[in-house]
Amino acid sequence: MDGQLDVVPLAGTTVCGDAATAADAIAVEHLSLLGAHRRPGGPLRVDDVDVHTDWTDPTGRLLDEVTAQAALGLMATHGRASGGPVRLGVNYVSTVAGVVVAQGALAAVLARLRGQRPGSVRVSVAGAALLTVSQYLAAGSARDTDDTGEVSGPGMPPPFTSLDGVVFEVETLDPEPWRRWWTALGAAPGDTARGWRAFVLRYATAAAPIPPALHEITRRRPFAQLCASAQAAGVAVQQVRGLSARRADAGPDGRFRAPWQISAGAPAGALSDLPAGRLPLYGVRVIEAGRRIQGPLAGHVLRLLGAEVTRVEPVGGDPLRGMPPMVGDCSARFLALNRGKRIVEVDLRSASGRSTVRNLVDDSDVFLHNWAPGKAAEIGLDSTDFTTSNPGLVYAYASGWGDERGTDAPPGTDFVAQAYTGLGEQLRPVGVPPAGSLMTLLDVLGGLVCAEGVLAALVTRQRDGRGQRVDSSLLSAAGVLQGPLPAARPVWGRWDTPTPVADGHIMLAAGSDVMAAETALGDAGTLTAREAVSRLEAVGVRAVRVCPEPGELAGDPIALDLIEADGCAFVRPPWRFTS
């Protein structure tokens, strides 16, 4: 990765130790990009703080990338649209855990700068993995499950395919352009309406049963015609790119730009001292104006680290608050990322509403948002608008594309970004048609990367006494997940994917002795998951039961101490700081 930092948050800091896992390697790389000096050898340390990456679950069982995906609900979520668990062909758990480890290290550095001396930070990889499925965990464990909000019926998710074989994603955040487009293409009103509901809910449900008739319509028309009609209707189109096209975006080493751009602002004071026994961000005031997942998750992470987060919502509240299933009067999915935040409702179209937000930001330490490009400047809430009134502000913008695509780019949303970055070829093995995931991979990782950048900026403010601006994007998050790009798509054998058993599936750890597994299992389809795992363990082969639905983790010992129940299951902080 090439650095994009005008400041060096970790100048003078030393990262010691060997990166024993892919997660540690990412954490060390990010801390190095932020200016830390690398010194190999021994366990991982940041100056005098021990950093432990814990790959065991609460039962003491050792996990790896694939068993973590299986046991903690990621395979179930990724495969929901296809009717069964599907392995992610990228090291998603390791990548997320690496960013979370870096967050913990940065938080410990900040705590030290604020007068405390944490001796260690321990990061649960299982806890980090659960953060990625937190909205699905909350929805699946809600007591009120009579109405889940999900769409049923025959259908298949995007992407769509044209007559001339072009595979593409579409995006619109408004039902009217959707209706105009499909009406112009001759779709029946009923199919258009059902398709919209499935399409708009795909972010929340990880499924999108688009009526087959709509897919058939696109297959009968050339791509150029579909693009022209979509543009006329106000619908964005993004062709699904492959890895060969994505390589053109990378550097000579196959890596991408640093995941954040951080620049210094005006001189200002430091944060207050940190009282003993408090979390690293105690006393830090955050204003978050986020939509969907990326922005809210960034605010959520900062809150888990001790910040006081105030969320700006439209008058009447965020519409997603009403998405079933409900916990009391609020959506379980919404609460998974927004529980514990103070809420302020404002009309940003009015001068008084904008003034309210400005006053909130003027009295805060961090302002983060993921608005559409240009909106902040249009309404007078860009970083330069606070240079005089709040020079110490850490201003964070979590965008879709950053500055890497032009003004004619489609909306920078998760599934469009997946299509652009060629993730479909990495997620699925050779022999399976490439396709993105309806699990919001980049929204989640983008939110985590944004929070990581904010932590680095807070460290810099504490050291240098200057405000900071942090820019990150879904595209930069994709670069973290994809770099360095592989030479080819994954190739998997029988035991590299979930194995069917009598009551579900099991997943073997990577690198398992497949001959021993075959001998131990015999006809696996006649065994329960418990029996199969027990037989494998008896011959020294590690395996786990594949979680069939994230909501079931609420009662599973594998998630004990990693979640808490309050009307539904919520994920606890994945870090533990000790003095």
Side-chain angles (χ1 to χ4, degrees), residues 266-502:
L271 298 170
S272 61
D273 289 344
L274 183 64
R278 297 290 189 174
L279 289 170
L281 294 193
Y282 175 79
V284 174
R285 295 157 298 179
V286 177
I287 304 300
E288 173 228 302
R291 304 184 305 164
R292 296 204 179 193
I293 297 170
Q294 181 190 21
L297 179 57
H300 178 63
V301 167
L302 300 177
R303 188 188 71 81
L304 291 179
L305 285 166
E308 174 190 307
V309 180
T310 298
R311 175 173 166 77
V312 176
E313 295 189 7
V315 175
D318 192 313
L320 295 181
R321 287 181 169 275
M323 178 178 290
M326 308 294 284
V327 174
D329 61 355
C330 192
S331 165
R333 292 185 175 95
F334 185 86
L335 286 173
L337 302 182
N338 295 293
R339 177 172 175 251
K341 298 176 183 176
R342 176 181 172 234
I343 307 300
V344 174
E345 296 182 9
V346 300
D347 181 2
L348 289 173
R349 296 169 300 181
S350 71
S352 62
R354 295 190 292 271
S355 178
T356 296
V357 175
R358 173 181 285 280
N359 291 337
L360 288 170
V361 175
D362 280 344
D363 195 36
S364 296
D365 303 295
V366 178
F367 178 43
L368 72 88
H369 68 85
N370 64 330
W371 290 329
K375 179 176 178 179
E378 178 186 332
I379 60 177
L381 296 173
D382 207 353
S383 57
T384 54
D385 295 308
F386 298 99
T387 302
T388 301
S389 59
N390 188 358
L393 181 67
V394 170
Y395 186 102
Y397 178 31
S399 67
W401 304 119
D403 61 0
E404 297 186 58
R405 297 195 67 181
T407 56
D408 60 344
T413 57
D414 190 295
F415 307 130
V416 176
Q418 287 193 46
Y420 178 80
T421 55
L423 262 175
E425 286 195 355
Q426 289 183 261
L427 292 171
R428 317 277 177 168
V430 169
V432 177
S437 177
L438 285 182
M439 180 178 168
T440 51
L441 301 179
L442 297 184
D443 263 341
V444 167
L445 187 54
L448 294 173
V449 164
C450 174
E452 183 186 27
V454 169
L455 287 164
L458 286 169
V459 167
T460 307
R461 174 188 165 178
Q462 195 68 9
R463 277 188 160 156
D464 299 347
R466 301 179 71 90
Q468 306 290 317
R469 174 166 176 137
V470 181
D471 288 274
S472 63
S473 67
L474 299 184
L475 189 55
S476 72
V480 176
L481 182 61
Q482 294 181 288
L485 281 172
R489 296 180 63 191
V491 177
W492 293 337
R494 172 191 172 190
W495 299 101
D496 295 322
T497 59
T499 299
V501 293

Side-chain angles (χ1 to χ4, degrees), residues 70-71 73 75-77 80 84-85 503-505 545-552 556:
M75 289 188 184
T77 305
R80 182 177 290 177
D503 59 348
H505 295 79
R545 169 181 175 266
V546 179
C547 171
E549 166 57 47
E552 293 189 12
D556 193 323

